[in-house]
Amino acid sequence: MPSDDSFASRPPAGMSRRQVVTWSALAAAAAPLGLVGRGGPAVAGESPDATYQRVFLEALAADPDLRRYAVPGREFLYRPRQLLVARPDVQRVMARLRSYGFPATEGVGFAGVARLVFATETDVPSVVTKLRDPQQWPGQPVPVVQPHHALLGFGNIMGNPGGPPRVAGALPAPDPTRAGEGAGVTVGICDTGIWRHAGSLHPQWLAGSYLPEADDEDAVYVGADMLALQGGHGTFVAGVVRQAAPGVRFDPEAALNATGVGDEEMLVAALGRLSPQASVVNLSLGYFTQDDQPPLPLVNALAALPGRAVVASAGNAGTSRRTWPAALDRVLAVGAVSAGPTGPQPAPYSSFGPWVDACALGDRTSTYVRGQLQLPGQPTRYFDGFAAWVGTSFATGHVSGRLAALMTSAGLSAEAARAALVAGPRWHPHYGVLVA
């Protein structure tokens, strides 16, 4: 299995219409471009969404701690020189790596998983493929191994639409008659963190609803008031949760940087920092894995959070390919719908499949930050605390809030509320229950 950092010149046969559309956007965006300021040179006639995707791809390519396995339909991002191994399998995997000529040393593990580190740059996906081959282990169980996957705040590549936030007017004040919805419930939001000034700029929506802590802050800016590509994503999601349940409290934790990139270790650490009072966990992020296998660190980390309802984005790739952690059995996976002339309709960017449990409107206006977003060749967007944004990230925030509201209205635990929500009739076989 070759590891390939370039896209093929044409989509492979057998792809669905949605996959072809997604592939075409990624293939166009993946053309090598020099970095100039916030992105490569302007491209004549390019849409803002395409520019946003292109600049994000450039940011990934410039990150020395990211690698991309780029075979269309099988893409994933991973950390270089790292192999994650189930602890019982460490010694025999290390012995087998030595026989392959890839000696590794054991580094610091996390979430009950060992981390093996190669001394030099190594084709990690190919090593994983070889170690997962049953023929390599006659008479023995195949070891559990995987790359150390990187993850993203949706939407971006590996989960598009990839559109930037849009300037929007201020939301009206919360409806005082709804103040009891979600009261007494805390939602953990593992995301880019929270903007330092979120509470003071949004006193009616966010102030007093969370405990500001320095390690939860979203970096937001790349300089002065210049916004990073996903700076403010966590603040936006927090506002969506509060709109769905105005009485809820939330606990923001940073699992992504302001570009929207993180990894499994960062997410596990964010989960571990959640307040014990957080009974609902919102994960408006996700990733693909090698061979679409469940990620062992997240399986272990979520098993250590009994009694909590975990809600995660299905992703914005527009395919049925499973996104993690949304596709894990104990996680409530959320897709997105769009407003149509006769009512909600599947959003063309939303990932879908029988593994998706619920869906909600993905185009929302919410609390945001102050600053300007500059993309090459596009008009500068000036934000003053509110924005509109599209993606399953924001459908997920709404479902988390409504889950908290259901807990208070029906007197249910988080797990019971989750079970009650998904027990309703499926709005669509591939999008689950529609959460209004």
Side-chain angles (χ1 to χ4, degrees):
M1 178 187 296
S3 181
D4 182 8
D5 271 345
S6 64
F7 285 90
S9 61
R10 66 188 65 184
M15 296 180 79
S16 70
R17 178 185 64 81
R18 290 178 179 228
Q19 289 171 314
V20 170
V21 170
T22 302
W23 180 91
S24 299
L26 299 184
L33 294 162
L35 292 175
V36 178
R38 292 293 318 285
V43 176
E46 190 174 55
S47 71
D49 283 10
T51 303
Y52 187 74
Q53 293 175 32
R54 177 170 60 86
V55 172
F56 184 76
L57 274 166
E58 291 170 352
L60 295 186
D63 189 334
D65 293 323
L66 277 180
R67 299 292 182 271
R68 181 180 64 183
Y69 184 80
V71 174
R74 304 171 70 182
E75 306 98 326
F76 60 90
L77 297 170
Y78 63 98
R79 297 301 192 192
R81 299 175 44 227
Q82 297 186 38
L83 180 71
L84 302 185
V85 184
R87 289 203 176 277
D89 297 325
V90 170
Q91 294 307 315
R92 61 193 183 112
V93 167
M94 291 184 72
R96 188 58 55 91
L97 289 173
R98 286 193 294 271
S99 73
Y100 294 159
F102 296 117
T105 57
E106 187 169 355
V108 178
F110 60 98
V113 179
R115 178 185 355 226
L116 303 187
V117 181
F118 298 105
T120 60
E121 186 72 29
T122 302
D123 186 349
V124 174
S126 291
V127 170
V128 170
T129 295
K130 196 167 186 178
L131 290 170
R132 286 178 174 176
D133 181 1
Q135 295 184 4
Q136 298 287 316
W137 307 95
Q140 303 178 59
V142 175
V144 178
V145 297
Q146 65 163 75
H148 183 187
H149 299 103
L151 53 99
L152 306 168
F154 293 137
N156 270 319
I157 181 179
M158 318 296 258
N160 273 292
R166 312 185 305 274
V167 175
L171 293 169
D175 181 352
T177 66
R178 298 183 55 211
E181 295 181 26
V185 178
T186 298
V187 176
I189 301 176
C190 298
D191 209 283
T192 59
I194 193 80
W195 184 39
R196 176 180 298 183
H197 304 296
S200 57
L201 184 62
H202 301 293
Q204 294 175 305
W205 280 108
L206 301 180
S209 59
Y210 68 101
L211 176 63
E213 295 182 313
D215 63 353
D216 297 338
E217 285 186 11
D218 185 339
V220 179
Y221 304 109
V222 294
D225 65 342
M226 305 278 288
L227 295 173
L229 290 177
Q230 287 214 345
H233 188 272
T235 303
F236 191 101
V237 170
V240 173
V241 171
R242 289 274 292 173
Q243 290 174 65
V248 79
R249 290 184 58 83
F250 64 93
D251 178 17
E253 297 293 343
L256 305 166
N257 64 26
T259 303
V261 178
D263 58 34
E264 291 170 307
E265 184 177 23
M266 292 169 66
L267 178 53
V268 165
L271 290 168
R273 294 193 302 269
L274 286 174
S275 163
Q277 286 73 43
S279 53
V280 177
V281 180
N282 185 93
L283 303 178
S284 289
L285 47 76
Y287 57 106
F288 294 142
T289 62
Q290 182 166 353
D291 302 325
D292 298 331
Q293 294 297 303
L296 183 60
L298 265 293
V299 171
N300 291 348
L302 295 181
L305 298 175
R308 299 183 181 185
V310 181
V311 187
S313 302
N316 307 322
T319 75
S320 61
R321 184 180 179 190
R322 291 175 184 264
T323 300
W324 310 96
L328 293 173
D329 287 342
R330 68 154 297 185
V331 176
L332 197 161
V334 181
V337 298
S338 300
T342 59
Q345 59 187 23
Y349 59 82
S350 177
S351 293
F352 59 94
W355 54 276
V356 176
D357 302 299
C359 58
L361 187 68
D363 191 346
R364 295 186 176 273
T365 297
S366 188
T367 52
Y368 194 49
V369 302
R370 283 189 172 131
Q372 55 178 306
L373 181 63
Q374 292 188 349
L375 299 172
Q378 303 293 341
T380 299
R381 301 183 182 204
Y382 296 92
F383 294 92
D384 191 24
F386 291 90
W389 216 339
V390 179
T392 56
S393 278
F394 317 124
T396 299
H398 177 76
V399 171
S400 291
R402 294 313 299 161
L403 193 63
L406 179 60
M407 290 171 62
T408 57
S409 65
L412 299 174
S413 68
E415 290 182 319
R418 178 198 185 281
L421 189 148
V422 300
R426 291 180 75 87
W427 173 76
H428 187 288
H430 294 293
Y431 292 83
V433 175
L434 179 62
V435 181

